[in-house]
Amino acid sequence: MRQFFERFEDINPRIVYLLMALALVIPVLKPIGMPIVVDQSTRVIFDWIENSNPGDIVFFDSAYGGGSSSELNPQLAAWFYHCMKKDVKVINISQWSSGAMIAADVCKKVAEQAKADGYNAEYGVDWVFVGYKSMIWREMREDFWKTCGNTDFWGNHFSTLPLMERVKKWDVETSKGFLGFDSGSPGVGTYLINWAEHDIYVGAAAVQASGLQSVLRSGQIKGMMVGLSGAAQYEKLLNRPSEATVLMDAQSLGHLIIIILIILGNVSFFLKQKSRGSAV
């Protein structure tokens, strides 16, 4: 056994790569079901939708690109499904053109799943995707239609979408709740400045989370999902395990392999050092 540890420091890197590949692939093919602990900041977002009344309107921003979609798409999918399940009406507005294209596909797919499960998820009635618009943000508070060019992401005029009859302005009378899926700038800061009186929630890429902790602690944002873990936590609260839950198995097992390799590498190093000292 001592000989194994002493030689471990010289392990062939291809073995390490193989172990990591197995750790990442096996849980995706056959989920393990590793435990998921729900953070309070994720639960706050879930409770916001869970305690909303049928017909309430909420807004969300898809301010992210392809580099963060693996984390934020599962967050959006879980949250949007929850809204459809609770008959909460959803309006999208995006600060990123890339985020609009990515999130539009996610919402269409989840809406079909919700309808298949027996929930109301009709486009134009239960949700509207405005997408990216070149606009002056504060003007949406006075005339949402005009500021957005009177059309949605797919070119439909707002007058043809029944839900938009209730969204002539974006103020607290129309909707008090907002969720920003955020991976950079511009991001949630736009809403902290222009919609400070609203209840603001954030779905953050993991790299953004530390920078948002101060506004979370100050109460400027009410709750925050963080990365893939936040999406898996939301799926657990929703009792609907999906992509994030599976990927968290792979991520957790991959981290476990790295920790084991670090420990074994250090044991090997110290045993070698001890052997050299004894030889002298």
Side-chain angles (χ1 to χ4, degrees):
M1 181 64 70
R2 182 185 180 91
Q3 187 179 18
F4 165 78
F5 282 115
E6 288 181 347
R7 296 179 59 186
F8 188 82
E9 191 180 43
D10 302 318
I11 188 173
N12 191 319
R14 286 174 289 188
I15 297 176
V16 176
Y17 298 146
L18 178 60
L19 288 172
M20 285 301 299
L22 292 173
L24 296 175
V25 171
I26 290 174
V28 173
L29 299 176
K30 188 174 178 59
I32 300 170
M34 298 183 77
I36 296 171
V37 178
V38 179
D39 295 335
Q40 179 59 27
S41 60
T42 301
R43 187 179 295 276
V44 167
I45 299 177
F46 179 86
D47 289 344
W48 162 43
I49 300 302
E50 187 69 14
N51 297 326
S52 294
N53 296 316
D56 283 355
I57 295 174
V58 297
F59 281 74
F60 83 91
D61 182 6
S62 45
Y64 64 95
S68 301
S69 60
S70 61
E71 296 178 279
L72 299 184
N73 279 358
Q75 289 185 13
L76 170 57
W79 176 81
F80 186 74
Y81 185 92
H82 193 197
C83 291
M84 297 299 99
K85 179 180 178 181
K86 298 297 294 185
D87 197 24
V88 173
K89 311 305 179 183
V90 178
I91 305 290
N92 163 271
I93 189 75
S94 180
Q95 296 184 81
W96 291 33
S97 57
S98 57
M101 291 185 286
I102 294 168
D105 289 339
V106 173
C107 290
K108 287 175 68 175
K109 180 180 178 181
V110 174
E112 291 302 315
Q113 294 171 349
K115 284 192 282 189
D117 291 341
Y119 302 117
N120 296 325
E122 182 181 348
Y123 186 75
V125 175
D126 301 296
W127 64 286
V128 169
F129 202 94
V130 176
Y132 175 79
K133 302 286 185 179
S134 178
M135 62 186 75
I136 300 173
W137 289 89
R138 287 193 68 85
E139 290 186 359
M140 288 189 288
R141 300 168 65 101
E142 303 300 326
D143 191 334
F144 190 86
W145 284 34
K146 180 180 178 181
T147 308
C148 296
N150 300 302
T151 57
D152 71 358
F153 180 71
W154 292 286
N156 300 305
H157 197 277
F158 285 162
S159 62
T160 67
L161 307 173
L163 177 57
M164 295 308 296
E165 291 298 326
R166 299 176 55 198
V167 190
K168 295 299 180 78
K169 299 179 180 181
W170 184 358
D171 54 20
V172 290
E173 284 72 31
T174 302
S175 171
K176 190 179 180 184
F178 165 79
L179 175 57
F181 294 97
D182 186 353
S183 70
S185 181
V188 70
T190 299
Y191 303 97
L192 292 174
I193 294 170
N194 295 303
W195 280 270
E197 71 276 25
H198 288 60
D199 291 337
I200 299 174
Y201 306 84
V202 178
V207 71
Q208 294 294 113
S210 60
L212 291 169
Q213 286 297 328
S214 60
V215 289
L216 177 64
R217 289 193 297 267
S218 69
Q220 290 174 275
I221 61 177
K222 306 300 182 183
M224 179 168 66
M225 286 185 280
V226 178
L228 192 62
S229 174
Q233 293 170 31
Y234 206 100
E235 290 177 359
K236 179 178 180 178
L237 291 169
L238 195 56
N239 196 25
R240 186 175 181 265
S242 189
E243 179 183 2
T245 304
V246 172
L247 292 178
M248 276 303 297
D249 274 354
Q251 187 180 96
S252 298
L253 191 57
H255 288 167
L256 180 61
I257 293 295
I258 291 172
I259 292 170
I260 292 173
L261 290 173
I262 290 172
I263 293 172
L264 292 177
N266 279 280
V267 171
S268 174
F269 172 78
F270 286 116
L271 287 176
K272 276 191 171 184
Q273 291 294 98
K274 187 176 180 180
S275 296
R276 288 168 186 159
S278 300
V280 173

